Amino acid sequence: MESSELRIGNYTLDHGHPEQIPYGSDIDSAGLMEPIKLTVDWLIKFGFEKFAFEYEEGVEITYVLEKKNGHQFVLSDDFQPMDGEIAMLDYKLLYVHQLQNLYFCLTAEELVLKA
């Protein structure tokens, strides 16, 4: 991993175990860390809820994190950030630290584990 991808508080794999980066100096060791693959389990840990909507074309699944101010942070079933029913970005999130960084950029709040 590149140190430019990381911030204090990001989760990475350190010797195979998920660890949160506690200090800026630890970011210098990014080459020794591995990214954590983003999964539904991680979304649930961060407080996202799964919603399934049936349409004639099939079922659409989204993951929604309700914010205190009533706004929602929404991901598609393949972890693409969405604005309503429209993809917000041209790429899908692959790793936990990417989700954490995007969430912080858009909300100025840290994404914290709920469970």
Side-chain angles (χ1 to χ4, degrees):
M1 294 180 62
E2 297 293 323
S3 60
S4 61
E5 298 175 56
L6 299 174
R7 295 181 321 104
I8 294 171
N10 281 154
Y11 284 93
T12 63
L13 288 177
D14 188 9
H15 297 93
H17 300 287
E19 297 286 337
Q20 198 170 19
I21 296 173
Y23 307 106
S25 59
D26 290 341
I27 293 173
D28 294 336
S29 302
L32 303 174
M33 300 175 203
E34 294 179 46
I36 299 173
K37 185 155 178 61
L38 187 58
T39 64
V40 173
D41 288 341
W42 274 98
L43 292 181
I44 301 304
K45 288 179 186 180
F46 283 125
F48 282 79
E49 291 185 64
K50 178 180 177 179
F51 291 92
F53 301 97
E54 274 192 52
Y55 298 102
E56 287 181 20
E57 300 84 24
V59 177
E60 177 184 74
I61 295 174
T62 59
Y63 298 94
V64 178
L65 181 63
E66 294 282 341
K67 293 181 55 8
K68 292 176 189 169
N69 62 7
H71 292 111
Q72 298 176 329
F73 190 88
V74 181
L75 298 175
S76 69
D77 63 339
D78 57 358
F79 309 136
Q80 187 169 19
M82 299 178 70
D83 182 15
E85 296 181 14
I86 299 169
M88 186 170 61
L89 301 171
D90 290 336
Y91 68 90
K92 298 170 182 120
L93 299 171
L94 300 176
Y95 302 111
V96 170
H97 72 277
Q98 291 174 328
L99 173 62
Q100 290 179 280
N101 293 345
L102 178 62
Y103 186 83
F104 183 80
C105 285
L106 294 175
T107 67
E109 297 175 10
E110 295 293 343
L111 188 58
V112 296
L113 293 179
K114 306 292 185 208

